[in-house]
Amino acid sequence: MSYPHGKNGQLLLILIISLLGFTATADPLSEALNHPDRPAADRERDAHSLPAPVLQFARLPERGVVMDLFGGGGYYSEIMARAMSDDSKVYLHNNAAYLGFSGDALAQRLQRNRLPTVVRYDREIDAFDLPADSVDLVITVLTYHDIYYKTDGWDLKAEDFFGTIHNILKPGGTLLVIDHVAAAATGSAAAQDLHRIDPAFALADISSHGFEFAGESEVLKNDADPLNVSVFDPSIRRKTSRFIYKFIEPAD
């Protein structure tokens, strides 16, 4: 097949493609990140959270039900809601402790129903009432280590945390875990003072609770992180090395 040449030929070719229904479609995730209504603080955070490769690795579904577990102010919830179809649902979860430091930001994000597919879901982890096998993807960002952090008013139990995720995830559904890296062979010890956790410990621990490991991404790895200072230290805050693990809910 030969194609016409010259300016007129180019116009004819464009017309033919248009008539045949071939249209370029923008990537929904890119559209979500470039949405004009996104808060300026979210756009600044993009530089160190890299949500595009993170959610691509998670395989954010085009439509369905997702859970932003301990989602804080809802940074990831907004991105996912804008990238998914209008008939999808994003549960933005927090418990009482998390609401204590993110409630104002959360209320501002959800004001005037600006994100109609986001459902604010305030519950303690052992008090979920969602239908079993109803969620396609659960993400939990910089929270997993809190299972091993203990203080007055905070005692998150592993059996409640993982049991709830097992209950709500569909068979074959995805659990994405992102957390601050602690030094090798430190287990869960760094969770208390540094708010970090050893990736090898995390992999073994989460797998031992019945999830099937499905890969890791190193897009948030930072070799300049000394791994032995608190994640709130000004020298490393928002620049920590973070692991990203993906797990699958078993079909059995």
Side-chain angles (χ1 to χ4, degrees):
M1 180 177 181
S2 61
Y3 296 93
H5 297 281
K7 183 177 181 181
N8 290 337
Q10 291 173 349
L11 291 174
L12 179 60
L13 186 57
I14 291 170
L15 177 60
I16 292 171
I17 292 173
S18 213
L19 289 172
L20 289 174
F22 295 124
T23 56
T25 57
D27 170 47
L29 192 50
S30 295
E31 286 189 336
L33 292 171
N34 290 298
H35 194 283
D37 192 38
R38 284 191 77 210
D42 283 13
R43 296 177 185 275
E44 292 175 6
R45 177 174 167 175
D46 291 348
H48 58 84
S49 289
L50 304 181
V54 167
L55 292 175
Q56 287 165 354
F57 175 66
R59 294 192 175 180
L60 179 70
E62 293 181 5
R63 60 170 35 85
V65 180
V66 300
M67 166 72 72
D68 189 358
L69 190 67
F70 291 99
Y75 167 82
Y76 271 103
S77 290
E78 176 159 345
I79 297 170
M80 294 190 294
R82 294 199 184 281
M84 297 174 70
S85 65
D86 291 341
D87 58 347
S88 296
K89 186 176 292 185
V90 178
Y91 286 103
L92 202 181
H93 165 262
N94 285 288
N95 68 354
Y98 265 60
L99 288 172
F101 62 80
S102 63
D104 291 344
L106 181 62
Q108 184 173 0
R109 188 179 298 279
L110 300 182
Q111 65 183 339
R112 297 188 297 275
N113 197 35
R114 61 182 293 274
L115 297 170
T117 61
V118 174
V119 178
R120 178 169 172 169
Y121 195 70
D122 301 345
R123 298 285 193 288
E124 296 304 320
I125 196 71
D126 60 350
F128 276 37
D129 59 0
L130 298 181
D133 304 338
S134 62
V135 177
D136 299 286
L137 167 68
V138 173
I139 71 167
T140 184
V141 181
L142 311 181
T143 298
Y144 161 72
H145 70 271
D146 282 333
I147 296 172
Y148 301 99
Y149 173 82
K150 307 298 178 185
T151 190
D152 291 341
W154 181 265
D155 186 11
L156 184 61
K157 295 180 171 57
E159 56 268 28
D160 293 333
F161 183 84
F162 292 117
T164 291
I165 297 172
H166 273 306
N167 185 58
I168 64 175
L169 262 183
K170 295 177 180 178
T174 300
L175 166 63
L176 189 81
V177 179
I178 303 175
D179 218 332
H180 304 284
V181 174
T186 57
S188 62
Q192 192 64 33
D193 296 324
L194 305 183
H195 299 274
R196 298 173 177 268
I197 200 149
D198 176 4
F201 171 86
L203 176 55
D205 182 42
I206 299 168
S207 299
S208 75
H209 282 90
F211 294 92
E212 298 176 357
F213 182 60
E216 65 180 304
S217 170
E218 295 188 345
V219 298
L220 297 179
K221 183 178 181 182
N222 178 11
D223 291 330
D225 183 354
L227 309 183
N228 61 0
V229 296
S230 167
V231 301
F232 301 112
D233 188 292
S235 67
I236 201 64
R237 186 172 174 82
R238 300 186 179 91
K239 297 180 291 186
T240 59
S241 190
R242 285 148 282 165
F243 63 84
I244 310 173
Y245 286 159
K246 182 164 61 176
F247 298 86
I248 300 299
E249 173 70 13
D252 294 337

